[in-house]
Structure formats: structure tokens, C-alpha cells
Amino acid sequence: MGKVSQLISHPIELKSALKLKFLRQPLFPTDDTSATPELKKCYKLLNLTSRSFAAVIMELNPELRNSIMLFYLILRALDTVEDDMSIDPKVKVPVLREFASKLETSDWKFEGCAPTEKDRQVLLDFPCILKEYHKLKPEYQKVIKDITYKMGNGMADYILDENFNLNGVATIKDYDKYCHYVAGLVGDGLTQLIVLANFGTPDLYNENKQLMESMGLFLQKTNIIRDYAEDLNDGRSFYPQEVWCKYVKRLPDLAKNEDGKGVYCINDLVLNALSHVNDVLTYLSSIHEQSSFQFCAIPQVMAIATLALVFNNETVLHDNVKIRKGTTCYLILKSRTLKGCVEIFQYYLREIKSKLTVVDPNYLKINIQIAKCEQFIEEMYQDKLPPNVKPLETPIYLKVREKTKIDERLIPVLQNEEFKFNIILSMVVTAFAAIYFYH
Ligand code: D61
Ligand code: MG
């Protein structure tokens, strides 16, 4: 189905797309993103390598925008070296291990990527990144460098791991560890930046490291589940053997989906990913600056929507699946408040439950996991209590109450948008009616 007809058949999404394109006011001006030719080049590279992360990074508070943009490009460059199967491990491993130290130079670049590697331009234009990186506040530079060092070495260890190369990810513990290096560490660095800028509650970085870890793992695991077919096609896979071996003898056999074994395996991995939901909601409750909140929330709500889409979905086994563009517009607008995010999670959790069949071997476990999320959400708000019963003031309840106070400032903005949309819509409808009846 074409993109336009898809939108017309989903009117709420059409409304969101129009609102997003014509009505929503940006939080900050973005004219400072082209202050120097190098910076302009960096933002061009950002748009070239990821449309979705580019969109959320552009909206950020200028205090963090360049830092997070460069953090992204530096890790994208590192990941491009890791992903390029044409580079000899003898070359690759030292590049990964020494990547962080190259941040001290002013002109390092890497020309050894295959011409087919989609993001190789980031490595060719690395001197532009370095130039802008050195202009960042020293404490922001340090965070970026520390995380780059840890990720580069983590990736290098995997390349040298014979068993990983031969058989892929073995256990669920290894799965979590791999995801830690490529995504959990990003959550770590971003959290440090957000706390340094005073955009979140300080406990975010010190109290419970599991929260920021879950932010990355929830995103990475969702990508891994969704990309089964694409990864297998490229001759690799990140599905942990400990899970898929319950369903098939060889990983590629999942695609046959004999007796529904393929989708049961997908559902098993979705179950695993759902274990991060409560952490994600807690983390989001701790971000108090609006642009950082949206930056953190948008990827997470897209992930839960993607999990609902891949759940019990045979198509994942041989094709790419992707949520509709209109759905993304709807999610971007709705996820601006914590309450909106929570409602999105509730909606997709119920969607998953409705797609779960009674013959699924994890029927009970999945129901229990979803109930745990729903119970947690009830604890967050406690707004369905009988009369005269006072809410229990648990840590998450108090945290949510603080965040809700902050979100209340946003209500007039959202109402104004809705009002403008309705005025314009009624004007357009009146104009069409006039033409229709009187021409
Ligand atoms: C809040 C907001 C964004 C967050 C977050 C918390 C916590 C973690 C993450 C983003 C990272 C999530 C990564 C999920 C997507 N996975 C990938 O891109 C894989 O590569 C991982 C290594 C490079 C990480 C690059 C990255 C991503 C997002 C960022 C960032 C750095 C820096 C700042 C902000 C967001 C995947 O790559 C796909 C590809 O090569 O095209 C792979 O190779 O597995
Ligand atoms: Mg990679």
C-alpha cells in the first residue's frame, strides 16, 4: 500500500502527520547547527546515517545538542568498523581498541572500509568530527571518550572470540553482555551527559545502574528481534542459542515456522525484552528537561510499538517489518508527557496480549510479565483506588508525582495545538463544502 493511502486509511495518523508538519513549535532554534563548515558537515553526516536519531537529536536543548550529536557520530564510526566484514581482524581489532585515543588527534581518519559500507563517510570525514569534538566542554569530552574506550574494547573482545564468530550469541547472559557493549554503554554516556547538564534527577546516574542499562538494552533487543531475516542474510545473527535451541536445531530453520516454532521463538525474545519495561518507565520519570525527555522517550515508544508489531508475526522470519510513518508521527506527539508515554506502553502491552495464543509455550510467562508491567503502571499513578483509600507513597509514586507537576506546564501548549488544528480543519472543510454546493 502506498504511503498516502496508508495515511488516509488511518485518520488519526493523518491528523498527527499534519500537526507534526505544520503546527508543532520546535523547542529551540536550530540555526546554531551551521555555525562552522565543520559543524554543518557533522549534522549532514548525522542525517545521512540515521533519520530517526537525527530527528530526536536536532530537537535537543543546545546545551547538549552538539555533544550528543558528536557522541552519536563517534560511536557510529566505531560501529561501522565493527560491522564491516571485509576488514581483516588483524587491522580491525587495533583500530577498535585505539579508537578512543584517536579522539586526541586532530586529523585521524579511516579509509579501510569497503565502498559498500553505508556509513563509511563518517570515517572519511572524521577530522570534521574531531575539530568540533575538541570545542565541547571538557567534562562532556571525557564522558564521550570513556564510553568510546569501553565500547571499542568490548567490540574487539567479541571479534577475537572464536565461539562467538562460529556460533553467534550462546546464552542469554552473553546476549545481555553483547547488548551492554553496543547499547547499554550508550545509555551510560547519555545519562552522564544529562545529569552533568542538570536535566534529570541526580539519582539517575548513581542509584540504580540497571535503569540506564535497560534504556539501551530495550532498544537493541528490539532491533535484534526485528532484524532476524536481514542479519541472517548478511551471514550473522544475534538471537541467543539458549532461546532458539528450544524451538529448532539450526537457527535458519526458524524461517520455516514449522508448527509455529518460528513465532514462538520471536515471542520468547519479546518476553525477554519486556523485562526492561519497568526500568524504562522509571528512567523516563526522572528526566525533567523537556527536550531530553523527548529525546529519551521517542526511541522507547517506537520500540514498544515495534515489539507489538513483531510479536507473533511470521513475516519477521523472512522480511523486514517496520511501523507505519503515521504511527511514528502519532507516537512523537503523544510521548511528550510521561502520562502519554505510559498510555502508549499500556496500549501496546494489551496489543501483545491480544495476539498471544493459548498454545504458545510461554503463554503463562508472557501473561505474567505483562501483568507485572501493568501492576507497575498502577503503582505509578494509583488513580483507580476506592474512595477514602490513600495512595501508598512508594518511591515510584512520588517520582511520578514530581514529573507530572512538570508536565502540567505543557498542557496549554498541547491544547493550543489541538485548537489551531480544529480551526484550520473546519476552515478547510467549509471551503470544500462551499465549492461543492455553490459552484
Ligand atoms: C536514550 C536515548 C537514546 C538511547 C538511549 C537512551 C540508550 C541507548 C541508545 C540510545 C543506543 C541504542 C542503540 C540502538 C540501535 N542500535 C544500533 O544502532 C546498533 O549499533 C550500536 C553501536 C553504535 C551505537 C550508536 C548510537 C546509537 C544511538 C545514539 C548514540 C549512539 C549516541 C547518542 C544518542 C543516540 C546497530 O547499528 C545498526 C547499524 O549499523 O545501522 C548494530 O550494529 O547493532
Ligand atoms: Mg554493530
Side-chain angles (χ1 to χ4, degrees):
M1 204 162 44
K3 295 222 164 97
V4 175
S5 57
Q6 248 187 19
L7 267 180
I8 291 173
S9 59
H10 296 90
I12 296 180
E13 296 186 355
L14 176 61
K15 176 180 170 183
S16 305
L18 293 171
K19 253 182 156 179
L20 193 61
K21 196 157 169 53
F22 298 112
L23 285 179
R24 190 188 54 148
Q25 301 288 325
L27 291 167
F28 298 98
T30 53
D31 42 342
D32 54 330
T33 59
S34 52
T36 67
E38 287 84 11
L39 196 61
K40 212 169 159 179
K41 180 98 212 173
C42 289
Y43 278 97
K44 220 166 141 182
L45 289 170
L46 172 69
N47 277 296
L48 216 67
T49 49
S50 166
R51 257 178 296 145
S52 49
F53 280 121
V56 286
I57 291 173
M58 282 312 274
E59 292 273 325
L60 273 169
N61 188 310
E63 171 64 24
L64 283 184
R65 195 197 289 129
N66 288 349
S67 302
I68 293 185
M69 179 274 291
L70 292 165
F71 188 32
Y72 174 81
L73 287 180
I74 289 163
L75 297 184
R76 180 53 65 216
L78 183 69
D79 184 54
T80 301
V81 175
E82 186 218 40
D83 285 349
D84 190 334
M85 303 301 255
S86 77
I87 305 171
D88 186 333
K90 284 200 194 70
V91 178
K92 194 189 271 194
V93 169
V95 172
L96 294 174
R97 292 208 194 279
E98 287 156 26
F99 212 91
S101 64
K102 304 298 182 201
L103 293 177
E104 281 157 27
T105 72
S106 63
D107 56 0
W108 183 83
K109 62 176 146 178
F110 183 72
E111 290 165 317
C113 275
T116 48
E117 200 56 39
K118 65 178 176 42
D119 297 331
R120 70 194 289 266
Q121 198 60 38
V122 181
L123 286 150
L124 297 177
D125 289 329
F126 211 75
C128 287
I129 298 173
L130 288 169
K131 179 126 194 236
E132 293 300 327
Y133 168 78
H134 292 298
K135 294 182 193 163
L136 300 177
K137 288 187 181 164
E139 62 265 38
Y140 295 167
Q141 286 186 40
K142 182 176 183 307
V143 171
I144 297 175
K145 195 175 157 198
D146 285 352
I147 299 294
T148 306
Y149 178 83
K150 289 181 184 157
M151 191 184 288
N153 281 291
M155 284 171 163
D157 292 345
Y158 272 94
I159 298 195
L160 296 173
D161 183 337
E162 302 246 332
N163 192 41
F164 177 74
N165 289 327
L166 219 63
N167 306 315
V169 183
T171 63
I172 294 172
K173 207 169 146 220
D174 294 339
Y175 180 55
D176 282 359
K177 197 165 157 206
Y178 179 77
C179 291
H180 166 74
Y181 284 120
V182 300
L185 283 172
V186 182
D188 183 328
L190 287 171
T191 308
Q192 293 188 56
L193 293 174
I194 288 170
V195 170
L196 279 172
N198 232 327
F199 289 168
T201 59
D203 61 313
L204 211 49
Y205 193 66
N206 297 320
E207 302 266 302
N208 186 353
K209 300 263 180 226
Q210 195 50 43
L211 299 182
M212 63 192 190
E213 182 76 1
S214 283
M215 290 293 281
L217 264 56
F218 191 62
L219 302 181
Q220 185 67 18
K221 287 179 176 182
T222 302
N223 280 4
I224 288 176
I225 302 170
R226 184 198 59 194
D227 294 341
Y228 167 80
E230 192 184 317
D231 283 339
L232 208 59
N233 214 358
D234 297 342
R236 55 178 185 185
S237 170
F238 301 97
Y239 276 31
Q241 187 172 15
E242 187 182 342
V243 173
W244 63 254
C245 75
K246 291 192 267 175
Y247 305 97
V248 284
K249 286 210 185 70
R250 292 172 343 115
L251 183 67
D253 291 342
L254 279 181
K256 296 184 200 148
N257 198 24
E258 269 168 29
D259 307 319
K261 295 271 172 56
V263 294
Y264 295 153
C265 179
I266 293 174
N267 299 353
D268 203 335
L269 290 171
V270 172
L271 167 64
N272 172 287
L274 290 178
S275 68
H276 299 291
V277 166
N278 294 359
D279 286 347
V280 166
L281 295 177
T282 308
Y283 186 99
L284 291 179
S285 311
S286 311
I287 308 281
H288 287 176
E289 192 272 334
Q290 186 57 27
S291 76
S292 309
F293 179 79
Q294 287 173 205
F295 166 75
C296 292
I298 293 170
Q300 306 294 332
V301 295
M302 304 225 330
I304 187 71
T306 303
L307 285 181
L309 178 65
V310 300
F311 189 79
N312 217 38
N313 185 347
E314 197 186 337
T315 315
V316 178
L317 299 170
H318 36 255
D319 268 316
N320 283 354
V321 298
K322 228 174 151 10
I323 51 178
R324 286 188 301 274
K325 198 100 177 86
T327 310
T328 304
C329 297
Y330 178 79
L331 296 177
I332 290 174
L333 291 176
K334 181 151 172 111
S335 62
R336 285 178 289 180
T337 60
L338 179 67
K339 184 87 190 168
C341 291
V342 167
E343 283 169 5
I344 293 168
F345 272 86
Q346 266 178 322
Y347 173 85
Y348 286 111
L349 288 169
R350 283 175 198 157
E351 176 101 351
I352 291 172
K353 213 152 94 170
S354 76
K355 288 167 82 181
L356 172 61
T357 60
V358 69
V359 288
D360 192 299
N362 293 299
Y363 178 85
L364 267 180
K365 282 188 185 156
I366 293 169
N367 266 310
I368 290 170
Q369 181 55 53
I370 292 174
K372 279 185 183 164
C373 300
E374 290 178 331
Q375 180 182 23
F376 187 73
I377 291 171
E378 266 187 53
E379 185 188 334
M380 289 173 79
Y381 289 96
Q382 299 183 52
D383 51 5
K384 288 187 293 194
L385 299 172
N388 305 323
V389 176
K390 285 215 164 53
L392 268 177
E393 298 195 338
T394 59
I396 186 64
Y397 175 80
L398 296 171
K399 210 181 230 320
V400 170
R401 202 165 66 181
E402 284 308 301
K403 171 66 178 154
T404 306
K405 272 190 216 144
I406 293 167
D407 282 351
E408 270 162 15
R409 292 196 292 238
L410 222 68
I411 294 172
V413 179
L414 306 189
Q415 279 173 344
N416 188 262
E417 237 171 43
E418 180 70 16
F419 182 70
K420 273 194 196 150
F421 181 85
N422 288 334
I423 298 269
I424 296 171
L425 179 68
S426 62
M427 284 183 351
V428 171
V429 171
T430 312
F432 273 105
I435 294 166
Y436 181 80
F437 285 113
Y438 298 111
H439 83 276

